[in-house]
Amino acid sequence: RRIQPLLFFALLVAFIGAGGLAYESVGGTRNALVLKITAAIAFAGAAAAAATPIVPRLLPVAGACALLLLAAPGLAGHALDPDQPHPLALVDDVLHVGAAAIWIGGLVAAVWLLPRVDTTSRSRALRRLSSLLVVAVAVLALTGVGRALTELSSVSQAWSTSYGRALIVKTALFAVLLALGAANRSRARTAFSTVRRYASVELVLLLLVIGTVSVLVQLRPGRLVQRVAAP
């Protein structure tokens, strides 16, 4: 019951976002096709989540739709470009998006859901969540490095291209989040109000990261910039 509104809202936002991008995309392309399928899956998931109070068995359907969306950015983006190591790049992208989803979802749970449970359950959930987020952040960092190595063909592209500079901004925000997350993990046994406050700040910074990523995915990767510039 507690997760249903959040799941509905997240899938609704995904539907609106994918639908808007599909409307603006070039027809007949892989990007446009994946975005249309993504919007359809998100809509079906949002509808299932909305109907969950009446038909509780639809909640797993909504959850399954949310999990399917993890592959959408990789299938629609640069991971399937002709010069990419396809299986590796796609798996890396899915793991990257999945780790980010666990991080964001975990923080939302800490801020929104945990205040509504009893103290004993909350403490147990915080310990489990803290361990899970450590793994998610490690996977996020490793897969982020992996994707950067396939999108940049030289170190200088990190500062000489718009893509590289956006990547630097994203990395800087990520470093701040790591420090904040470590501080919050050390406070996991202190007052929950403190943990919740730090988690709220992390969420705000993660929104900035998402904003940076939304710019990043619209830019031409460094390897492509170099290819176009070559005589």
Side-chain angles (χ1 to χ4, degrees), residues 202-223:
E202 280 189 73
L203 275 175
V204 172
L205 289 175
L206 276 171
L207 289 177
L208 293 177
V209 172
I210 292 173
T212 304
V213 171
S214 69
V215 173
L216 188 67
V217 297
Q218 301 300 321
L219 298 174
R220 190 190 298 270
R223 58 184 172 77

Side-chain angles (χ1 to χ4, degrees), residues 106-108 110-111 180 184 194-204:
L107 291 175
V108 170
V111 172
L180 190 61
N184 206 13
T194 303
V195 174
R196 189 184 185 194
R197 184 166 61 251
Y198 270 73
S200 299
V201 175
E202 280 189 73
L203 275 175
V204 172

